[in-house]
Amino acid sequence: MLVDDLNDLTNHHKSHCKLYADYVASMFPKGQAEQLADIPFLPVRAFKEFTLKSVPDDAVYKTMRSSGTSGQFSQIFLDKQTALSQTRALAESFADYFGKGRFPMLVIDSESTVKDRLKFSARTAAINGFSMFSNKRCFALKDDMTLDLESIRTFLAVNSGKRIFVFGFTFLIWSTFIQELKRRKQTLPLENAFFLHGGGWKKLEAEKVSNDAFREAIHETTGSSSVHNYYGMVEQTGTIFIECEKGHLHAARQGAALARDPRTHKALDHGVTGLLQVFSSIQGSYPGHSLLTEDIGRTYAGSSCGCGRGGTIVEIDGRLAQAEVRGCSDAYP
């Protein structure tokens, strides 16, 4: 059971990360959790403000960073086993939606994003992570982040008739790909392609771009009707929520979610709007298995969706106001 796995991880991190142990002792004195709502949660902002890891320095295989704002970014420390678990979990989720195998991959980003190891970011991690499902890769943007239409057309000609995997961050796909194709009055033959995108919705919301409008614009410029949003974060890499064909974001097998009241942190029923808490049973090298995010939304039972997937559904409204978010991290000892 997921609760048992999460209890084991809580005990593991308490034994190997003193800062986390002190935090749990002061905020969650109760013993073993009997349900998800009782699992101790860590505000996701903690990874921006503290060094949290449950492995010795010489066991750190990779350090990942979020794309932080105001000079702050999360640092996530992975050992080889956790990195492998994240890869396996991601592969399982991907195959459930798009099938097994590798595809020609069109990345809506520049190659410089993944080349500079000193600027390793959430975008770098996402591109490299999803690239394991590619057999050829083309970057749609030049280093100055302008559309490289000539390279794209060459790539599509070489892979004519094949199923193409298009990946990118939501705002980049909208601003540098869709809008630029419209500006140039161009279309691309991507009828057989599937799009996977995530992140950057805040900027689109400011421009009054809905998920439906985003999907329609992709269909208009590429012919593709297979467009899937995903919700995830560098602090819980590998365990993502992918949008099904019915338009619902489902938790992976290794994960789940619930909502909490932003002020009291009381767990809320399905359908009630609150602060989202996300779970992952694979984060062994750092205490990232139960995180209170800064995202406002609701959860629903996976069984309520007609797609047949059982994972918890999340609906996300946006980010909690920054001033209120600090109330969660201030609970830290």
Side-chain angles (χ1 to χ4, degrees):
M1 284 182 60
L2 181 60
V3 171
D4 294 333
D5 292 340
L6 294 171
N7 272 325
D8 289 345
L9 282 171
T10 297
N11 293 331
H12 167 75
H13 293 307
K14 284 166 62 178
S15 298
H16 294 87
C17 179
K18 185 179 186 304
L19 186 56
Y20 178 75
D22 291 344
Y23 165 76
V24 172
S26 64
M27 298 295 294
F28 302 93
K30 194 175 178 180
Q32 291 285 97
E34 296 182 1
Q35 56 186 348
L36 285 178
D38 298 330
I39 300 288
F41 57 77
L42 190 64
V44 71
R45 175 167 290 273
F47 292 99
K48 290 183 170 71
E49 300 175 351
F50 302 95
T51 298
L52 292 157
K53 62 178 184 293
S54 303
V55 293
D57 291 342
D58 60 6
V60 174
Y61 168 68
K62 182 187 297 183
T63 301
M64 299 176 67
R65 292 182 176 183
S66 68
S67 51
T69 57
S70 305
Q72 284 189 310
F73 51 82
S74 296
Q75 288 197 96
I76 305 301
F77 302 95
L78 305 180
D79 62 1
K80 287 187 177 181
Q81 181 55 53
T82 300
L84 179 61
S85 296
Q86 291 179 344
T87 298
R88 286 174 173 167
L90 186 60
E92 182 180 283
S93 294
F94 188 92
D96 183 39
Y97 285 82
F98 310 115
K100 294 182 179 180
R102 295 174 180 268
F103 308 87
M105 181 180 182
L106 180 62
V107 183
I108 313 301
D109 212 314
S110 70
E111 192 170 8
S112 61
T113 301
V114 298
K115 272 189 170 180
D116 190 346
R117 303 301 296 177
L118 297 178
K119 294 182 179 179
F120 194 87
S121 66
R123 270 167 54 200
T124 309
I127 293 168
N128 286 338
F130 284 108
S131 288
M132 69 177 170
F133 308 115
S134 70
N135 53 22
K136 297 174 184 175
R137 196 168 67 170
C138 172
F139 288 87
L141 307 182
K142 301 175 184 178
D143 286 346
D144 63 0
M145 302 303 284
T146 58
L147 190 65
D148 190 349
L149 198 54
E150 183 178 351
S151 291
I152 295 172
R153 291 198 183 280
T154 299
F155 174 76
L156 295 182
V158 170
N159 294 287
S160 178
K162 297 178 182 177
R163 193 176 179 210
I164 306 293
F165 169 28
V166 184
F167 175 78
F169 272 52
T170 305
F171 183 70
L172 280 180
I173 292 178
W174 176 260
S175 61
T176 66
F177 185 68
I178 296 172
Q179 294 301 98
E180 187 60 17
L181 286 173
K182 286 186 173 184
R183 188 186 71 80
R184 298 189 191 187
K185 296 182 170 56
Q186 298 288 317
T187 60
L188 290 170
L190 285 162
E191 294 86 354
N192 294 327
F194 62 93
F195 282 70
L196 182 63
H197 66 97
W201 274 111
K202 188 174 182 179
K203 292 181 180 179
L204 289 191
E205 287 166 358
E207 296 184 18
K208 309 298 183 185
V209 181
S210 68
N211 191 25
D212 286 343
F214 182 86
R215 295 165 69 96
E216 288 171 9
I218 287 181
H219 182 71
E220 179 185 336
T221 52
T222 71
S224 174
S225 57
S226 180
V227 182
H228 301 261
N229 185 20
Y230 79 91
Y231 172 63
M233 60 198 72
V234 71
E235 295 87 357
Q236 223 172 65
T237 296
T239 311
I240 63 174
F241 296 73
I242 299 180
E243 184 181 24
C244 72
E245 55 271 25
K246 302 292 185 181
H248 298 136
L249 290 160
H250 288 265
R253 182 180 62 82
Q254 303 84 356
L258 58 80
R260 292 187 180 274
D261 183 287
R263 299 192 181 279
T264 67
H265 294 167
K266 178 184 176 182
L268 303 172
D269 293 334
H270 285 320
V272 181
T273 300
L275 202 56
L276 291 175
Q277 179 182 354
V278 291
F279 304 91
S280 171
S281 64
I282 61 175
Q283 317 303 341
S285 58
Y286 66 99
H289 59 299
S290 173
L291 301 178
L292 189 65
T293 74
E294 298 173 353
D295 297 316
I296 290 291
R298 294 159 296 286
T299 64
Y300 296 93
S303 57
S304 66
C305 179
C307 77
R309 295 179 178 87
T312 311
I313 294 169
V314 296
E315 286 184 356
I316 302 160
D317 294 337
R319 191 66 54 92
L320 191 69
Q322 197 69 11
E324 295 177 61
V325 170
R326 291 202 179 96
C328 299
S329 58
D330 286 345
Y332 225 85

